[in-house]
Amino acid sequence: IIVIGSMDTYSYYLLRYIMVLKKYFKSLEFFTFSTDLTHITPHLHENSEQETIKHIGKNVNSWSSGTKIGESLTKFISVYGNKFLSQKHIVVILSDGLETGSVTVLKEAVITIRRKCKTLVWLNPLKVMKDYQPIQKGMVSVMPHLDAFESAHNLDSLLKLEKLLMDV
């Protein structure tokens, strides 16, 4: 699961949710990104929620500093792709899709990830908004390559992800 910095409004409850998911799905790996990608799974083994938050805060340098989704996904592919991308892996991207970098780089990265993984899911908290349409350039470029495009605005919407992980 990859979470971006513009998701600050949701970050605390997402972190709590991720920690619960990790207890039940041991093989899940988690990354954050905004302008850079950070693998946060190693920090989820702390004894307390507060310690986990503290560790992640110390190790995620690019939080809330813009959103270069394509560059971050490209780094994910090049650094972690051999380990975490195969036809047995489900990739979940949690982002509002507001790309400040190259939309072309984003599209190419999503195409690569989709080709290499079993299922690609994009969770977007903006989807719940009345009359929301995925018209941001980043979202438009990736929509044809997603297996699922779901909301991520509250706990109920995230519980759908749990069901998806169990069903796939």
Side-chain angles (χ1 to χ4, degrees), residues 87-101:
Q87 289 303 307
K88 67 179 185 174
H89 290 103
I90 299 168
V91 175
V92 179
I93 300 171
L94 176 55
S95 168
D96 54 18
L98 301 174
E99 173 67 89
T100 61

Side-chain angles (χ1 to χ4, degrees), residues 30-33 36-40 43 59-62 80:
F30 300 93
F31 298 82
T32 64
F33 68 87
D36 195 21
L37 181 81
T38 304
H39 187 203
I40 65 166
H43 307 294
N59 290 285
V60 177
N61 299 322
S62 62
Y80 301 98

